[in-house]
Structure formats: C-alpha cells, structure tokens
Amino acid sequence: MLKIKNIHKSFGKNKILKGVDLKIDKGDVVVILGPSGSGKTTLLRCINFLERADQGQAIFGDIDVSLKSASRKQIHQIRQKIAFVFQNYNLFNNKTALENVTEGLIIGRKVPKAEANEIGKQALIKVGLADKFNSYPKELSGGQQQRVGIARAIALKPDIILFDEPTSALDPELVGEVLTVMKTIAKEGITMLVVTHEMTFAKDVANRVIFMDGGVIVEENSPMEMFTRPKEERTQHFLKRVLPEDFIYNI
C-alpha cells in the first residue's frame, strides 16, 4: 500500500531522519517506538507533507512522488488517502464536535453538508460520542477531544491513519478510552501507523513493531519477537528502561 524510501530530514545542522525505509501493507497496524528525538513524529509529518523532507520517495498505490519536490496536486492526491491524528487534538475551538468532523469533508472533499453531517454523526457514534454532537472542545475532556480527532480521521475513509502519540497529552485516567477506540477501529481492518509509548497497545494490537533511534530504524519485528527477543543492543537497552519487569512474560 505505502512504501517510503530513503527519507532524510534536517532542521538546520540537526539531522533528524537519516535514510528511513518503510513499507505498510493494507490492514497493517504498525507501531513505532523510540526515545524522544529519534525522528518518529518527523517521519509521520514528512509522509503527510506537514514537513518537506530533504530527500526521499513515497509510493502509494499508483502514485509515486518525491517527498522533497512533490507538486501541490501530488500532495493533494496523497492527502486524500491519509488521515492524521495529532498529539494535541488540533480542533477548532469555535466549532462543535460535529462541525470539527465535517469540516474536512465539506471544505476539503466537497461533500454536500447534509451528507457530511450524516457521515460525521456516524463517526462520532463509532468513537462513543453520540451525545456530544453539539459540544464545543472546551466542554469536552481531553480524551473526548482526542476521540473527536479520531472521528474526524475515520470520517474521511482514508487508506491509512497516522497517529502521532495520540495519548501523550492526556491525563492517565483518560488514556484507556482513547486506546479502546483505536483498538476497535484496528479490528475493523483500518490500516494504522502509530507513534506511541503505550506498550500494551503495541503488544495487543500491532502486527509489527518498529524501534527508531537516532533518525534510523534500528529494528523491526512482530510484537512477540520485539518484546521477548529484541536483537539489537539499542533496542534491548530501550525496552529494559520502559517496560515493566513482568511485561514480556505476559505476552
């Protein structure tokens, strides 16, 4: 479905991505782990052209584009296939939950308003917000706001959803409700590329886990192999620091 070849990205003299290759197949749930500053978020942002890569190629079905010099038309074609769930929700504060979900359909996809509203309502129902259609972001908890963000993504019916640490801005007691929604949509076969520190989600939902460090993919494997038999020393060191002692024995 999606192939990324040789992505490089620097900010000034700081090299963030150093030649990353990635392949995502239809129905994959791929989790990217790694320490802060390893390039995880930058990778997602380059895939969706929120950042311009310095080098690299993206192949999405029959679309083959340069991540450095893609035209506006090519970027639009890619973005029609990808949805992005942000770390900090990125909702319009002056719009209701339903309006936040339908904005991209009406403005970006030219869907008639009545049809967009129906799609938006179904998406909000799917994430457990059937009673929040007319609520504004300030009236919603962080977990509810992030679920609006997920509804906005699934309403677009994308080929793949990119999640950028979707629970990191949440209070601990709200994390579970967002992860539950993500697990539900993963079971429906929606292709997902997820940057997260939620190891249980990676263990339970992902079919592949990637460990990034220093702007490169250090290791890639199934959750079972990654969490029980990581091959690379850098991966082993990272997992020993972030996993509970009994985590690997519960897989």
Side-chain angles (χ1 to χ4, degrees):
M1 174 186 281
L2 172 64
K3 290 183 182 179
I4 301 296
K5 296 182 178 180
N6 198 32
I7 294 187
H8 290 257
K9 177 64 181 177
S10 297
F11 294 102
K13 295 182 179 180
N14 189 15
K15 293 183 178 180
I16 305 299
L17 298 176
K18 305 173 184 177
V20 174
D21 296 326
L22 180 65
K23 180 183 178 185
I24 307 292
D25 293 322
K26 185 175 177 59
D28 275 351
V29 178
V30 178
V31 165
I32 304 178
L33 307 175
S36 297
S38 58
K40 307 181 301 294
T41 290
T42 301
L43 174 62
L44 293 194
R45 292 178 66 85
C46 285
I47 291 172
N48 202 37
F49 292 95
L50 296 171
E51 300 284 354
R52 280 279 190 169
D54 301 323
Q55 182 180 336
Q57 204 76 8
I59 302 170
F60 207 134
D62 58 353
I63 303 171
D64 188 341
V65 299
S66 165
L67 291 168
K68 179 180 180 180
S69 58
S71 66
R72 283 188 179 183
K73 180 179 179 180
Q74 288 173 320
I75 292 173
H76 179 71
Q77 288 177 314
I78 292 290
R79 286 181 172 168
Q80 292 288 303
K81 296 177 177 291
I82 297 176
F84 203 106
V85 176
F86 295 88
Q87 179 176 337
N88 293 311
Y89 325 138
N90 277 30
L91 302 181
F92 296 107
N93 290 324
N94 63 335
K95 294 184 182 295
T96 66
L98 181 58
E99 288 169 339
N100 267 283
V101 173
T102 60
E103 181 80 4
L105 293 169
I106 295 169
I107 303 301
R109 302 285 177 91
K110 309 302 180 186
V111 176
K113 186 174 181 179
E115 182 182 346
N117 281 339
E118 185 56 34
I119 294 170
K121 288 176 181 178
Q122 291 303 314
L124 287 168
I125 290 169
K126 182 173 287 188
V127 301
L129 296 175
D131 59 339
K132 301 295 184 183
F133 294 166
N134 297 314
S135 298
Y136 289 89
K138 66 181 181 181
E139 300 171 324
L140 302 173
S141 70
Q144 289 170 335
Q145 290 184 61
Q146 189 59 290
R147 283 189 278 156
V148 173
I150 295 172
R152 177 176 56 191
I154 62 179
L156 296 172
K157 298 181 180 177
D159 291 333
I160 183 171
I161 302 178
L162 310 180
F163 292 82
D164 181 21
E165 300 196 26
T167 61
S168 64
L170 299 176
D171 293 333
E173 66 269 22
L174 300 177
V175 169
E177 65 187 62
V178 173
L179 293 179
T180 297
V181 168
M182 292 174 64
K183 289 177 182 179
T184 298
I185 64 176
K187 288 177 181 177
E188 294 178 359
I190 295 176
T191 307
M192 301 162 62
L193 179 60
V194 185
V195 169
T196 186
H197 295 291
E198 298 295 335
M199 299 296 171
T200 301
F201 177 85
K203 180 185 74 170
D204 293 344
V205 182
N207 64 302
R208 284 161 53 210
V209 177
I210 290 170
F211 173 65
M212 285 187 68
D213 194 17
V216 299
I217 291 176
V218 176
E219 187 166 348
E220 178 176 353
N221 219 320
S222 69
M224 173 68 80
E225 291 295 318
M226 185 68 79
F227 292 131
T228 61
R229 292 178 288 275
K231 296 181 175 61
E232 301 298 326
E233 186 176 346
R234 287 159 75 186
T235 313
Q236 295 167 8
H237 180 70
F238 174 78
L239 292 177
K240 284 179 181 178
R241 285 192 297 110
V242 301
L243 292 181
E245 288 185 10
D246 61 345
F247 181 91
I248 60 174
Y249 304 112
N250 291 331
I251 294 181

